[in-house]
Amino acid sequence: MAEFTGKRIVITGGAGSIGVATARAFLDQGAHVVLLDPDERALTEAKALLGGVRVFTAATDLATPAVCADFMERAKPVYALVHLAGLAERDPLGLNEHGVWDRAIAVNLTTAYDMAVAYRTCTDPRGPARLVLASSIAFRRGNPERIAYSAAKSGIIGLTRALARRFAPEILVNAVAPGVIVAPMSEPLATERGQTYREEIPLRRFGDPAEVASVIRFLCSRDSSYITGQTITIDGGLTNA
């Protein structure tokens, strides 16, 4: 029997490239996946790409604690919550323009907190359950064009460490910090720096969504049973160079 047979995995940002790859990684091991995303059309396309079997979708922006709580209550029991939803905008650093900062904190950090709190009472009793949050190498390097995003993704690390202590031993909480992955969110960075940026990466290439998905699946597997409060960087060696 495949490891995740009969287990329900909720993936926010599920219509994105990494979300779809993560869903596929779990489906290959027998899971039922629920994809959340505000883009209903993208969700329909994602479900079609995944074949539709054992795939469920919900169009939502998870904008309030009540929305998060309501969804998790309806989805339970949930074995793993993979929170990938995020937003990366260029930051104008204008005193009269606070929108980028507010959106970055709300979408990247506040929603992660709200979903984690909602998830705590909706876990699968066959646990320990798993919670995986998405940070970014921006938390290590800092992105000078996306200050608010960098700050929010740094906050994810503190959130991961604190929740790992608070939720133990019932829920193992970890984070992934992808580098430049071939996905729509990374296209602006690839366009801005292109080959120059690629040459900074020891592996000399951008990452594939499946390479992030495989780490997420590991963090939700029995092989990670003694790992919590950690952040795994997936960047081809960039932050070690």
Side-chain angles (χ1 to χ4, degrees):
M1 180 183 293
E3 179 171 0
F4 298 102
T5 297
K7 294 182 177 179
R8 187 171 301 156
I9 316 293
V10 171
I11 305 170
T12 72
S17 298
I18 296 176
V20 171
T22 299
R24 183 174 288 114
F26 283 114
L27 288 168
D28 288 346
Q29 292 295 316
H32 294 253
V33 300
V34 183
L35 307 181
L36 306 185
D37 201 280
D39 190 334
E40 189 166 4
R41 179 177 178 180
L43 281 172
T44 299
E45 294 173 353
K47 185 172 183 176
L49 282 172
L50 294 167
V53 179
R54 290 180 279 113
V55 180
F56 307 89
T57 63
T60 175
D61 58 6
L62 303 173
T64 68
V67 170
C68 295
D70 178 67
F71 176 82
M72 293 308 302
E73 184 65 27
R74 288 185 288 113
K76 72 179 185 182
V78 177
Y79 171 73
L81 169 61
V82 180
H83 184 68
L84 302 175
L87 177 68
E89 297 179 290
R90 185 184 290 272
D91 199 326
L93 292 184
L95 289 176
N96 297 320
E97 174 49 67
H98 220 251
V100 170
W101 174 270
D102 293 341
R103 287 190 295 273
I105 298 301
V107 175
N108 295 294
L109 186 55
T110 302
T111 299
Y113 173 84
D114 290 342
M115 285 296 287
V117 172
Y119 175 52
R120 188 183 186 189
T121 60
C122 300
T123 59
D124 191 320
R126 293 173 291 177
R130 302 297 204 276
L131 171 58
V132 180
L133 302 177
S135 182
S136 163
I137 60 166
F139 98 89
R140 292 186 184 277
R141 291 167 58 93
N143 186 322
E145 301 299 329
R146 293 169 175 79
I147 308 297
Y149 174 78
S150 300
K153 290 302 186 180
S154 296
I156 289 290
I157 305 306
L159 184 63
T160 297
R161 291 170 177 165
L163 290 177
R165 290 177 176 270
R166 182 66 176 268
F167 287 0
E170 290 83 8
I171 306 174
L172 306 185
V173 185
N174 293 288
V176 293
V180 186
I181 307 300
V182 180
M185 184 176 286
S186 65
E187 286 178 0
L189 180 60
T191 300
E192 290 166 14
R193 300 193 60 183
Q195 185 62 26
T196 300
Y197 199 85
R198 187 179 287 106
E199 289 175 355
E200 294 181 31
I201 302 172
L203 295 189
R204 295 293 189 271
R205 64 177 178 84
F206 296 153
D208 187 89
E211 293 174 303
V212 179
S214 64
V215 176
I216 293 172
R217 183 175 62 187
F218 162 72
L219 289 173
C220 295
S221 74
R222 63 176 68 97
D223 292 333
S224 68
S225 59
Y226 203 56
I227 301 174
T228 194
Q230 305 304 308
T231 299
I232 298 181
T233 301
I234 311 162
D235 68 351
L238 178 60
T239 53
N240 192 42

